[in-house]
Amino acid sequence: MESIFWEILDMLPTAVYILNQDGTFRFINKAAEELDALRRDEIIGKQAFQIYQSIYLGEETISPGITALHTGKSIENINLEWYCNGKRNNALTSAYPIVKEGETVGAVIFCDPVSSLKRRLIQNISFMKKSTIKLRHKQLKNGTEYMFDDIMGKSSVMQNTIQVAKRFAGKDMPVMLCGETGTGKELFAQSIHNASNYYAGPFVPVNCAAIPETLLESTLFGTVKGAFTGAVDSVGLFEKAKDGSIFLDEINSMPLLLQAKILRAIQEKEVQRVGDNKFRKISCRIISATNVLPEKLINDKIMRTDLYYRLSTGLIIIPPLRDRGNDLFILMQSLIDKYNAEQNALVIDLIPSLKSMFLTYDWPGNVRELSNILESAFNMLGDNDSYIGFEHIPNYFLEYLKKSVIKNKSVKTAYDMAFKQSADSWELSEYKNLPLLVDNYERTIIESAMEKTRGNLTHCGKLLGISRQSLTVKLKKYKITSGEFR
């Protein structure tokens, strides 16, 4: 029976050590052999101090297994570091006394290497995400990945936008999405399609700005053989979207002449292939999108007025990221989860001061820009970095942040918010950034004061409560010149 028990322990991915009452090793499993790079016959029967060197457990210098053996108390989830056979190990360790008839007769130790835990966690996250996407594809089968549940944001402006989009989705009418670059127009378009009566049909996206003007008409409406040199019989995207939705992204890039044909397709529900003399019926919903405000579309004659009124029966204005408040943090966490899975990293969050500065920035590129910045930061991470700090952010973006903070005159509020957050959520390793945080704080405060006093050193010194001489020293330290503020 005992041999079966040993065989079961050998199957575990966790390293297992069993101690006798005298502190010698009675058993180790295969995972423990791999962890220590030693055979079990080199360990069994020996004391821990004969094998391991420099065991570090807070202020303790003995094995948690020996501690559990001597005290009769369990020790759980201790980050233990030790050296064995020239190899450094770091594992999450738990030790439990083995008690028989009220007497401690041994101890069992479980060690999960931190690197292995990290890898297993990331693989699990990645598996869940991949499974979800794969399952979603199987369920939808219409060329989409997203539904309304995938749109993140708890701000009232975003929730109101989602509610409007849901109402329009259930009605049989064209929908126009208006939003800045990177606000998620296709995410809304797919969600509307999947919440409509057309969900069983295909979702056909068309980027009108990416297709050359000479090819756009044939792409949308199709061609017949002989219409022009090399032309063959081909079905256009309007026909391919049968019983589904066609998404005309960046429709403001479409030539006015072609807009007239789109208008006819909407009104008559039919299209004419290039070079053909007959019309073909279509049955699809039209969802369009533009990054230009409706009034500008009309005033600048970017779009035909009659087409605009046809397409915008259901007009949805998607708010920019800068108007969505703390939605920024929700999106950041989602992107961190995504890049953790993709890049085999384990980032917990941004350091608080950097998060606060992100709030002061206008994000002209919206969610797409945020995604790009975080992906760049991930590429700068060290192996043991768990938080994204200033040192991971691209230099050009740090300059944008600095100017944004000064422009908004909210640097003190931003930093106050950062340092009021609980330090308990920080890992000890993150305190190595304290000098950098303090320097950034001081530099930005000085620049804000220099802007208010228009570079007058005497007035600036008084505003900051320091002498002109002390201010001059700090300006030199941070390479700030008074001339740039005059």
Side-chain angles (χ1 to χ4, degrees), residues 96-119:
Y96 304 91
I98 300 173
V99 180
K100 185 177 181 181
E101 297 179 355
E103 182 183 3
T104 302
V105 297
V108 59
I109 308 159
F110 299 96
C111 295
D112 278 301
V114 172
S115 59
S116 175
L117 283 173
K118 179 178 176 180
R119 183 171 59 255

Side-chain angles (χ1 to χ4, degrees), residues 234-252:
S234 66
V235 178
L237 296 181
F238 271 99
E239 292 180 71
K240 287 184 178 180
K242 181 181 179 181
D243 298 328
S245 300
I246 186 168
F247 175 48
L248 302 175
D249 195 10
E250 296 193 53
I251 194 169
N252 49 289

Side-chain angles (χ1 to χ4, degrees), residues 117-392:
L117 283 173
K118 179 178 176 180
R119 183 171 59 255
R120 282 154 57 186
L121 177 61
I122 292 168
Q123 287 173 343
N124 188 46
I125 292 172
S126 178
F127 170 78
M128 287 189 296
K129 288 180 178 292
K130 289 178 181 177
S131 297
T132 301
I133 293 173
K134 187 175 181 181
L135 181 61
R136 179 68 58 80
H137 275 302
K138 284 185 176 181
Q139 289 176 334
L140 298 176
K141 297 180 180 179
N142 59 6
T144 65
E145 294 181 19
Y146 305 111
M147 297 187 291
F148 279 116
D149 289 345
D150 297 306
I151 300 177
M152 286 171 288
K154 295 183 179 180
S155 62
S156 58
V157 65
M158 197 60 174
Q159 284 298 311
N160 290 338
T161 304
I162 293 172
Q163 290 307 313
V164 170
K166 285 181 176 179
R167 284 199 294 270
F168 289 165
K171 301 181 184 299
D172 188 10
M173 63 182 186
V175 173
M176 175 178 277
L177 302 165
C178 181
E180 296 177 5
T181 298
T183 50
K185 293 186 287 295
E186 182 157 356
L187 179 59
F188 267 89
Q190 290 191 20
S191 300
I192 289 169
H193 173 72
N194 286 320
S196 73
N197 294 328
Y198 295 89
Y199 76 94
F203 177 83
V204 180
V206 187
N207 188 331
C208 299
I211 302 174
E213 186 175 326
T214 53
L215 297 178
L216 189 55
E217 182 179 3
S218 58
T219 300
L220 292 173
F221 299 118
T223 60
V224 294
K225 187 175 182 179
F228 51 83
T229 304
V232 296
D233 289 328
S234 66
V235 178
L237 296 181
F238 271 99
E239 292 180 71
K240 287 184 178 180
K242 181 181 179 181
D243 298 328
S245 300
I246 186 168
F247 175 48
L248 302 175
D249 195 10
E250 296 193 53
I251 194 169
N252 49 289
S253 301
M254 186 179 291
L256 291 171
L257 183 61
L258 189 54
Q259 289 183 26
K261 295 187 177 183
I262 296 289
L263 178 62
R264 176 181 172 80
I266 298 172
Q267 291 176 331
E268 306 300 330
K269 297 189 181 301
E270 60 184 20
V271 294
Q272 185 179 31
R273 294 182 183 179
V274 176
D276 203 355
N277 57 7
K278 66 179 181 180
F279 291 92
R280 302 167 190 267
K281 288 294 181 181
I282 58 172
S283 58
C284 64
R285 180 179 200 164
I286 298 177
I287 304 173
S288 59
T290 173
N291 54 16
V292 180
L293 290 173
E295 56 267 25
K296 186 172 178 61
L297 284 175
I298 303 301
N299 294 339
D300 294 354
K301 296 184 173 16
I302 297 173
M303 180 177 286
R304 289 175 57 109
T305 306
D306 47 4
L307 177 61
Y308 168 74
Y309 289 134
R310 271 287 183 178
L311 291 175
S312 62
T313 307
L315 179 63
I316 300 171
I317 306 294
I318 302 176
L321 186 54
R322 61 180 170 275
D323 292 341
R324 294 174 56 185
N326 288 333
D327 281 358
L328 173 68
F329 298 143
I330 298 173
L331 291 163
M332 281 167 48
Q333 191 56 57
S334 173
L335 290 167
I336 286 172
D337 292 342
K338 173 187 175 183
Y339 294 131
N340 273 335
E342 290 180 357
Q343 299 194 28
N344 199 34
L346 194 59
V347 171
I348 297 171
D349 205 345
L350 276 66
I351 61 173
S353 52
L354 183 57
K355 286 179 72 173
S356 296
M357 290 183 74
F358 270 32
L359 268 179
T360 70
Y361 184 58
D362 280 345
W363 298 103
N366 294 288
V367 182
R368 188 174 295 135
E369 182 180 13
L370 175 64
S371 176
N372 177 266
I373 294 301
L374 291 180
E375 185 175 12
S376 297
F378 266 78
N379 290 328
M380 293 296 292
L381 289 170
D383 292 339
N384 298 316
D385 290 335
S386 297
Y387 285 82
I388 294 174
F390 291 98
E391 68 273 25
H392 303 123

Side-chain angles (χ1 to χ4, degrees), residues 1-16 18 27-32 40 108 110:
M1 188 69 182
E2 186 174 311
S3 62
I4 295 176
F5 177 66
W6 300 143
E7 288 179 14
I8 293 172
L9 292 181
D10 267 339
M11 297 176 187
L12 298 178
T14 298
V16 180
I18 297 179
F27 171 83
I28 69 169
N29 67 352
K30 289 182 180 179
R40 65 183 72 184
V108 59
F110 299 96

